[in-house]
């Protein structure tokens, strides 16, 4: 390593822990992080922790522990919630996910190159990428674990002890698997790529590198093999949405989607330009394993369907990791002065994104507080159906509509029924039993079109079909508010309206 490169690694030697601390600043102000699916996670955890003690909750919901690969934050909450309470626990978990992912990026760069490179600084805002903004907490927690694990795997000290590494990573793989199955799959793919590239570099023979790499990383298969011994028969859920090219391009362009489309897209384009420039430059050394991992994961992204076993946006979830790996794999070999400017540019990019995300989170928090004010007029334990009224013919990126699961606050704060809960055998441990709600008892029954669309207004049609046993209706309007026949306004705050049935 050249002396200039060592001198330019100042961020690695002293200040990278401070960058991790700064990464969580946007989440300090909101009482509950305004992430799309987070309220649904929070209400499920409330049912989990209630354990049948509340009559209001047990009327509609049940929870039974089982071994499924989607329990990362559920297990964390089981430990933390008795100490902090429900909403502070969700805030702590969200902050932990961001801190772990930011640390994972920086430690992965240090493990690959011996220091935190300037290009790795540009990866830090990806901790707030699409999957996190959507509130996919178990997935993002698992991927953060996988990133930290990959950094440990490729360290020379660990690579020199293959037997010890095999047993350590058997346990690590189990932790990632139980957190989220897709996160475990990412870990397996990236470790496999790094191991294959390292062995090929040593031997120059692919036929020898393949079996050796498989044996070395076979420990990662341990949790999936053990799961076959566990008695569990999930229902068959759909896998669909193959080769939706327009949507995939949209997800790539919106990898940093938060609030301001032009700003977010410009930042994503800047990352793309940096990746192309560094990968094509003769003054850049690439870590072969991470580069191969980025390429393979990018190929998997195009092959993945949009829905796997009922899980939405399976392909989109990969985009921040693809960008991050491509950035971290590159180690520019520039003169000290040029390297310092690149590092400053990376810090500036991180700082600008951090400021924007902090402001955006505060604005989302203010909007949600305004919409939640109507809950003060809702009787405790009420039968309620909720709708998010969305525009017609609009591909809605959930990252820019943060109240898609606002109904869960009716459950957590008023013990009222919330029809936005996920209920998938093999994917969730929550059970829903509210016959009075009919077809409006679970996700995605809260999502409706709130304006005229193809000569109909779907929300009004659905409101007319809400069973008579449901006396309250809550609509958050993202379209102009319409009169809802058969319902009178009980409370209004901003675009949030609580209705009571007209008897």
């Amino acid at each position: 390593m050249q002396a200039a490169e060592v001198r330019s690694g100042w961020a690695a030697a002293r200040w990278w822990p401070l960058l991790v601390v700064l990464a969580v600043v946007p989440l300090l102000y909101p009482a509950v992080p305004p992430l799309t699916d987070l309220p649904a996670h929070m209400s499920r955890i409330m049912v989990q922790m209630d354990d049948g003690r509340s009559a209001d909750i047990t009327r509609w919901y049940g929870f039974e522990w089982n071994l499924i690969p989607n329990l990362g934050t559920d297990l964390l909450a089981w430990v933390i919630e008795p100490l902090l309470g429900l909403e502070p626990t969700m805030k702590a978990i969200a902050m932990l996910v961001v801190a772990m992912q930011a640390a994972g990026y920086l430690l992965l760069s240090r493990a690959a190159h011996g220091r935190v490179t300037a290009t790795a600084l540009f990866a830090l805002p990806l901790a707030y990428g699409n999957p996190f903004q959507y509130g996919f907490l178990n997935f993002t927690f698992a991927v953060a674990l996988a990133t930290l694990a990959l950094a440990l795997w490729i360290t020379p000290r660990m690579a020199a002890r293959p037997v010890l590494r095999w047993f350590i990573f058997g346990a690590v793989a189990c932790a990632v698997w139980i957190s989220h199955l897709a996160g475990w799959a990412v870990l397996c793919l990236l470790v496999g790529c790094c191991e294959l590239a390292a062995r090929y570099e040593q031997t120059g023979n692919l036929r020898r590198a393949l079996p050796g790499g498989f044996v070395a990383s076979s420990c990662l298969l341990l949790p999936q093999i053990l799961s076959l011994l566990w008695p569990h028969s999930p229902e068959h859920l759909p896998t669909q949405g193959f080769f939706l090219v327009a949507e995939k391009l949209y997800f790539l362009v919106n990898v940093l989607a938060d609030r301001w489309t032009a700003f977010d897209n410009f930042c994503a384009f800047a990352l793309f330009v940096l990746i192309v420039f560094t990968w094509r430059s003769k003054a850049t050394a690439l870590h072969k394993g991470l580069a191969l991992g980025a390429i393979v994961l990018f190929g998997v992204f195009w092959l993945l369907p949009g829905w796997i076993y009922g899980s939405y946006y399976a392909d989109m979830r990969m985009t921040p990791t693809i960008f991050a790996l491509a950035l971290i794999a590159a180690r520019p070999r520039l003169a000290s002065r040029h390297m310092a400017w690149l590092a400053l540019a990376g810090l500036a990019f991180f700082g600008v994104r951090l400021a924007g995300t902090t402001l955006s989170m505060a604005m989302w928090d203010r909007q949600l507080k305004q919409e939640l004010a109507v809950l003060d007029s809702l009787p405790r334990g009420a039968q309620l159906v909720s709708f998010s009224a969305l525009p017609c013919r609009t591909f809605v990126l959930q990252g820019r509509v943060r109240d898609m699961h606002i109904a869960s606050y009716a459950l957590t704060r008023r013990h009222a029924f919330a029809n936005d809960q996920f209920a998938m055998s093999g994917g969730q441990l929550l059970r829903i039993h509210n016959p009075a709600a009919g077809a409006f008892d679970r996700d995605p029954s809260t999502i409706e079109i709130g304006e005229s669309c193809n000569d109909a207004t779907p929300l009004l049609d659905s409101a007319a079909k809400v069973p008579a046993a449901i006396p309250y209706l809550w609509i958050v309007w993202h379209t102009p508010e319409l009169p809802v026949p058969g319902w009178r306004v009980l409370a209004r705050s901003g675009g949030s309206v609580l209705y009571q049935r007209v008897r």
Side-chain angles (χ1 to χ4, degrees), residues 261-282:
T261 303
F263 173 59
D264 297 334
N265 291 353
F266 175 80
C267 291
F269 180 72
L271 294 183
F272 174 75
V273 170
L274 178 62
I275 291 168
V276 171
F277 176 77
T278 53
W279 278 49
R280 288 177 59 87
S281 173
K282 293 180 180 179

Side-chain angles (χ1 to χ4, degrees), residues 280-315:
R280 288 177 59 87
S281 173
K282 293 180 180 179
T284 300
L286 288 178
H287 185 279
K288 301 298 190 299
L290 296 184
L292 179 62
I295 292 169
V296 172
L297 194 60
F298 186 61
V300 169
F301 165 77
W302 287 100
L303 294 175
L304 278 175
W307 300 266
I308 295 182
Y309 299 130
S311 181
Y312 292 117
Y313 303 118
D315 50 354

Side-chain angles (χ1 to χ4, degrees), residues 193-203 288-289:
C193 287
C194 287
E195 194 64 21
L196 175 62
R199 289 175 180 271
Y200 180 74
E201 218 169 4
Q202 291 171 0
T203 65
K288 301 298 190 299

Side-chain angles (χ1 to χ4, degrees), residues 231-267:
H232 192 56
S233 54
E235 63 180 287
H236 178 73
L237 295 168
T239 295
Q240 58 192 14
F242 286 93
F243 308 117
L244 302 176
V245 176
E247 288 191 12
K248 290 180 185 292
L249 289 172
Y250 181 84
F251 290 139
L252 288 171
V253 171
N254 286 276
V255 65
L256 289 170
D258 183 1
R259 174 179 289 273
W260 301 285
T261 303
F263 173 59
D264 297 334
N265 291 353
F266 175 80
C267 291

Side-chain angles (χ1 to χ4, degrees), residues 41 44 67-76 97 100 136-146 171-185 223 317 427-428:
H41 285 277
R44 184 182 71 250
L67 180 64
I68 61 172
N70 189 23
L71 294 177
T73 57
D74 300 63
L75 293 174
L76 273 178
V97 169
M100 287 174 57
F136 298 158
L137 291 183
N138 286 342
F139 172 79
T140 50
F141 176 73
V143 170
L145 273 179
V172 169
C174 289
V176 177
W177 182 92
I178 204 171
S179 296
H180 198 279
L181 185 62
W184 169 80
R317 300 177 190 224
Q428 305 287 344

Side-chain angles (χ1 to χ4, degrees), residues 372-407:
L372 290 170
V374 301
L375 290 181
D376 293 338
S377 301
L378 180 70
R380 190 172 180 84
Q383 282 275 23
L384 172 74
V385 163
S386 305
F387 293 132
S388 289
L390 304 177
C392 179
R393 295 190 180 95
T394 300
F395 181 74
V396 177
L397 181 65
Q398 287 187 4
R400 293 195 174 99
V401 181
R402 296 302 174 87
D403 50 17
M404 302 279 278
H405 283 278
I406 197 171

Side-chain angles (χ1 to χ4, degrees), residues 1 27 44 78 81 85 101 117 136 163 178 185 210 212 261 279 341 345 382 398 402 420 423 437 496:
M1 188 179 294
L27 300 174
R44 184 182 71 250
W78 183 71
E81 196 274 344
Q101 188 63 84
T117 63
F136 298 158
V163 176
I178 204 171
L210 275 170
T261 303
W279 278 49
W341 279 110
Q398 287 187 4
R402 296 302 174 87
D420 67 332
S496 175

